[in-house]
Amino acid sequence: ADPKTTAVVGDNLETEILAGQTLGMPTWLVLSGITTEAEVQSASRKPDKVFEDIREITGYLRKR
């Protein structure tokens, strides 16, 4: 995948978000799984975007 046109989507800062950042790809975190909003706020590693769930991502992409 081309890192300029692909985002890594996941629900865990320590796995998917870390992997995406290591690869130099945009990272999108969904709060419908492991990581909570409070954990995102206090984390040193931040995703590029945070969404409540996959439906919110779909709406975001439709607007683009």
Side-chain angles (χ1 to χ4, degrees):
D2 182 350
K4 295 176 187 166
T5 59
T6 306
V8 174
V9 178
D11 67 354
N12 190 320
L13 290 171
E14 300 303 321
T15 55
E16 297 95 1
I17 302 308
L18 174 60
Q21 290 173 343
T22 300
L23 294 170
M25 299 175 79
T27 56
W28 295 0
L29 179 80
V30 290
L31 296 173
S32 56
I34 293 172
T35 303
T36 66
E37 179 69 32
E39 290 170 325
V40 173
Q41 295 302 320
S42 65
S44 59
R45 175 181 303 110
K46 306 277 189 201
D48 295 300
K49 295 196 178 298
V50 178
F51 298 93
E52 288 296 319
D53 54 30
I54 294 293
R55 286 186 198 130
E56 190 175 356
I57 292 174
T58 302
Y60 172 78
L61 292 173
R62 285 185 178 146
K63 292 177 185 175
R64 291 186 72 179

